[in-house]
Amino acid sequence: MDERLVEAAQALLTGYDTALSRQWREEDRRWRTEDMCWRQKELHFSDAQHTFLEQQRQWRQQDTEQRHLDNARALWARVVEKNRRDVEEKAEQLKAISTLAALISGFALSAFLQFDFGDYVDKSGAVLPLFGVTMALTVGLETICVIICSLMLVSVFKTGQSYMSDEEEAEFMQRCKAFADNYR
Protein backbone atom coordinates (compact mmCIF):
# COMPACT_ATOMS: atom_id res chain seq x y z
CA MET A 1 0.00 0.00 0.00
CA ASP A 2 2.81 2.29 0.64
CA GLU A 3 4.09 1.68 -2.77
CA ARG A 4 0.75 2.35 -4.34
CA LEU A 5 0.39 5.51 -2.45
CA VAL A 6 3.78 6.69 -3.64
CA GLU A 7 2.90 5.77 -7.21
CA ALA A 8 -0.43 7.58 -6.98
CA ALA A 9 1.23 10.64 -5.49
CA GLN A 10 3.90 10.48 -8.15
CA ALA A 11 1.27 10.13 -10.89
CA LEU A 12 -0.65 13.03 -9.41
CA LEU A 13 2.43 15.22 -9.21
CA THR A 14 3.51 14.21 -12.75
CA GLY A 15 0.06 15.09 -14.08
CA TYR A 16 0.08 18.37 -12.22
CA ASP A 17 3.60 19.13 -13.53
CA THR A 18 2.57 18.26 -17.10
CA ALA A 19 -0.53 20.49 -16.85
CA LEU A 20 1.54 23.35 -15.51
CA SER A 21 4.17 22.87 -18.24
CA ARG A 22 1.46 22.85 -20.91
CA GLN A 23 -0.11 25.99 -19.45
CA TRP A 24 3.29 27.68 -19.25
CA ARG A 25 4.07 26.75 -22.89
CA GLU A 26 0.71 28.11 -24.05
CA GLU A 27 1.33 31.34 -22.13
CA ASP A 28 4.84 31.52 -23.58
CA ARG A 29 3.43 31.05 -27.13
CA ARG A 30 0.88 33.80 -26.57
CA TRP A 31 3.59 36.08 -25.22
CA ARG A 32 5.83 35.32 -28.23
CA THR A 33 2.95 35.95 -30.63
CA GLU A 34 2.19 39.23 -28.92
CA ASP A 35 5.91 40.12 -28.91
CA MET A 36 6.11 39.42 -32.66
CA CYS A 37 3.11 41.71 -33.26
CA TRP A 38 4.81 44.46 -31.26
CA ARG A 39 8.04 43.93 -33.17
CA GLN A 40 6.16 44.16 -36.49
CA LYS A 41 4.49 47.38 -35.33
CA GLU A 42 7.84 48.74 -34.16
CA LEU A 43 9.43 47.84 -37.50
CA HIS A 44 6.57 49.54 -39.36
CA PHE A 45 6.91 52.63 -37.14
CA SER A 46 10.67 52.65 -37.67
CA ASP A 47 10.19 52.49 -41.46
CA ALA A 48 7.62 55.29 -41.30
CA GLN A 49 9.96 57.38 -39.18
CA HIS A 50 12.86 56.71 -41.58
CA THR A 51 10.67 57.72 -44.54
CA PHE A 52 9.58 60.88 -42.72
CA LEU A 53 13.18 61.79 -41.90
CA GLU A 54 14.21 61.20 -45.51
CA GLN A 55 11.38 63.43 -46.71
CA GLN A 56 12.42 66.06 -44.15
CA ARG A 57 15.98 65.92 -45.48
CA GLN A 58 14.77 66.27 -49.08
CA TRP A 59 12.46 69.15 -48.15
CA ARG A 60 15.29 70.89 -46.31
CA GLN A 61 17.61 70.41 -49.27
CA GLN A 62 14.98 71.80 -51.66
CA ASP A 63 14.33 74.71 -49.29
CA THR A 64 18.06 75.45 -49.12
CA GLU A 65 18.32 75.35 -52.92
CA GLN A 66 15.32 77.67 -53.18
CA ARG A 67 16.90 80.08 -50.70
CA HIS A 68 20.14 80.06 -52.68
CA LEU A 69 18.14 80.78 -55.82
CA ASP A 70 16.26 83.61 -54.10
CA ASN A 71 19.54 85.06 -52.84
CA ALA A 72 21.01 84.87 -56.35
CA ARG A 73 17.93 86.58 -57.78
CA ALA A 74 18.16 89.34 -55.18
CA LEU A 75 21.85 89.76 -55.92
CA TRP A 76 21.13 89.86 -59.66
CA ALA A 77 18.43 92.47 -59.07
CA ARG A 78 20.98 94.57 -57.17
CA VAL A 79 23.48 94.23 -60.03
CA VAL A 80 20.83 95.19 -62.59
CA GLU A 81 19.75 98.17 -60.49
CA LYS A 82 23.36 99.32 -60.08
CA ASN A 83 23.89 98.99 -63.84
CA ARG A 84 20.72 100.97 -64.51
CA ARG A 85 21.83 103.71 -62.10
CA ASP A 86 25.31 103.81 -63.66
CA VAL A 87 23.84 104.08 -67.17
CA GLU A 88 21.45 106.82 -66.08
CA GLU A 89 24.27 108.67 -64.32
CA LYS A 90 26.54 108.54 -67.36
CA ALA A 91 23.66 109.53 -69.61
CA GLU A 92 22.86 112.53 -67.42
CA GLN A 93 26.53 113.55 -67.42
CA LEU A 94 26.70 113.33 -71.21
CA LYS A 95 23.45 115.26 -71.57
CA ALA A 96 24.78 117.96 -69.25
CA ILE A 97 28.07 118.22 -71.20
CA SER A 98 26.18 118.30 -74.49
CA THR A 99 23.82 121.01 -73.24
CA LEU A 100 26.70 123.03 -71.87
CA ALA A 101 28.60 122.74 -75.18
CA ALA A 102 25.51 123.81 -77.11
CA LEU A 103 25.03 126.80 -74.82
CA ILE A 104 28.66 127.89 -75.11
CA SER A 105 28.51 127.48 -78.87
CA GLY A 106 25.30 129.50 -79.05
CA PHE A 107 26.73 132.27 -76.86
CA ALA A 108 29.92 132.40 -78.92
CA LEU A 109 27.96 132.64 -82.16
CA SER A 110 25.62 135.21 -80.64
CA ALA A 111 28.59 137.27 -79.38
CA PHE A 112 30.18 137.15 -82.81
CA LEU A 113 26.99 138.26 -84.55
CA GLN A 114 26.01 140.98 -82.11
CA PHE A 115 29.42 142.56 -81.53
CA ASP A 116 29.84 145.88 -83.32
CA PHE A 117 33.34 146.14 -84.75
CA GLY A 118 32.97 149.48 -86.51
CA ASP A 119 34.14 151.94 -83.92
CA TYR A 120 36.45 149.87 -81.71
CA VAL A 121 38.64 147.73 -83.95
CA ASP A 122 41.09 148.72 -86.64
CA LYS A 123 39.70 147.01 -89.73
CA SER A 124 43.02 146.78 -91.49
CA GLY A 125 44.75 144.88 -88.62
CA ALA A 126 44.87 141.19 -87.77
CA VAL A 127 42.63 141.42 -84.69
CA LEU A 128 39.34 141.11 -86.54
CA PRO A 129 40.30 137.97 -88.56
CA LEU A 130 41.84 136.45 -85.42
CA PHE A 131 38.61 137.13 -83.50
CA GLY A 132 36.57 135.58 -86.34
CA VAL A 133 38.78 132.47 -86.47
CA THR A 134 38.58 132.11 -82.69
CA MET A 135 34.80 132.37 -82.74
CA ALA A 136 34.56 129.91 -85.64
CA LEU A 137 36.82 127.42 -83.84
CA THR A 138 34.80 127.79 -80.64
CA VAL A 139 31.52 127.21 -82.43
CA GLY A 140 32.94 124.33 -84.45
CA LEU A 141 34.56 122.55 -81.50
CA GLU A 142 31.48 122.97 -79.32
CA THR A 143 29.30 121.59 -82.14
CA ILE A 144 31.68 118.60 -82.46
CA CYS A 145 31.42 118.16 -78.67
CA VAL A 146 27.62 118.08 -78.92
CA ILE A 147 27.76 115.48 -81.72
CA ILE A 148 30.31 113.30 -79.88
CA CYS A 149 28.29 113.47 -76.65
CA SER A 150 25.15 112.44 -78.54
CA LEU A 151 26.95 109.47 -80.12
CA MET A 152 28.46 108.48 -76.78
CA LEU A 153 25.01 108.69 -75.19
CA VAL A 154 23.63 106.26 -77.76
CA SER A 155 26.58 103.96 -77.13
CA VAL A 156 26.11 104.09 -73.36
CA PHE A 157 22.43 103.20 -73.69
CA LYS A 158 23.15 100.37 -76.11
CA THR A 159 25.97 98.93 -73.98
CA GLY A 160 23.95 99.29 -70.78
CA GLN A 161 20.99 97.44 -72.25
CA SER A 162 23.05 94.64 -73.79
CA TYR A 163 25.10 94.19 -70.61
CA MET A 164 22.12 92.83 -68.65
CA SER A 165 20.74 90.19 -71.02
CA ASP A 166 18.89 86.98 -70.23
CA GLU A 167 22.00 84.96 -71.11
CA GLU A 168 24.02 86.97 -68.59
CA GLU A 169 21.37 86.34 -65.96
CA ALA A 170 21.33 82.59 -66.67
CA GLU A 171 25.13 82.46 -66.50
CA PHE A 172 25.11 84.42 -63.23
CA MET A 173 22.49 82.09 -61.72
CA GLN A 174 24.53 79.05 -62.79
CA ARG A 175 27.67 80.48 -61.19
CA CYS A 176 25.75 81.23 -57.98
CA LYS A 177 24.37 77.67 -57.89
CA ALA A 178 27.84 76.21 -58.45
CA PHE A 179 29.22 78.41 -55.67
CA ALA A 180 26.45 77.35 -53.27
CA ASP A 181 27.01 73.67 -54.09
CA ASN A 182 30.77 73.87 -53.65
CA TYR A 183 30.76 76.17 -50.61
CA ARG A 184 30.09 73.42 -48.09
Side-chain angles (χ1 to χ4, degrees):
M1 173 147 155
D2 242 352
E3 203 172 290
R4 278 178 156 183
L5 188 59
V6 170
E7 284 180 14
Q10 192 173 10
L12 180 66
L13 287 175
T14 304
Y16 184 68
D17 187 42
T18 305
L20 283 177
S21 292
R22 189 178 311 138
Q23 185 181 7
W24 183 82
R25 279 192 303 263
E26 286 175 10
E27 187 177 319
D28 190 44
R29 283 186 195 127
R30 274 189 309 226
W31 181 82
R32 287 185 186 270
T33 305
E34 198 174 291
D35 187 47
M36 290 301 288
C37 286
W38 280 109
R39 286 185 182 187
Q40 289 294 328
K41 287 180 182 179
E42 188 175 298
L43 183 64
H44 176 70
F45 177 74
S46 175
D47 287 343
Q49 188 175 16
H50 178 70
T51 303
F52 175 74
L53 289 176
E54 182 65 26
Q55 287 175 346
Q56 261 320 86
R57 189 188 63 76
Q58 289 175 353
W59 291 334
R60 182 165 175 90
Q61 183 180 7
Q62 290 172 352
D63 184 51
T64 303
E65 288 177 10
Q66 185 62 38
R67 286 178 189 231
H68 288 308
L69 183 63
D70 291 343
N71 288 342
R73 283 188 182 137
L75 188 60
W76 180 254
R78 285 177 52 194
V79 168
V80 168
E81 182 62 25
K82 182 182 181 314
N83 180 54
R84 185 189 63 78
R85 281 193 313 258
D86 289 345
V87 167
E88 284 181 1
E89 180 183 336
K90 298 302 179 198
E92 288 300 319
Q93 288 174 353
L94 286 172
K95 286 178 185 177
I97 291 172
S98 179
T99 303
L100 186 61
L103 283 173
I104 291 173
S105 175
F107 286 139
L109 186 60
S110 175
F112 179 69
L113 292 176
Q114 293 182 1
F115 191 69
D116 185 18
F117 299 106
D119 298 333
Y120 303 109
V121 178
D122 181 21
K123 295 182 183 174
S124 63
V127 175
L128 187 61
L130 186 60
F131 181 72
V133 169
T134 306
M135 285 295 139
L137 279 174
T138 303
V139 171
L141 290 176
E142 296 299 331
T143 305
I144 290 173
C145 182
V146 169
I147 292 170
I148 289 175
C149 285
S150 298
L151 294 175
M152 286 174 63
L153 184 62
V154 170
S155 175
V156 165
F157 280 137
K158 184 178 178 184
T159 304
Q161 289 173 352
S162 68
Y163 179 67
M164 297 295 161
S165 64
D166 291 338
E167 292 83 19
E168 291 284 332
E169 181 179 7
E171 181 184 338
F172 180 79
M173 293 293 179
Q174 184 65 28
R175 282 187 282 143
C176 285
K177 185 178 183 318
F179 173 77
D181 292 342
N182 295 329
Y183 182 69
R184 299 179 194 125

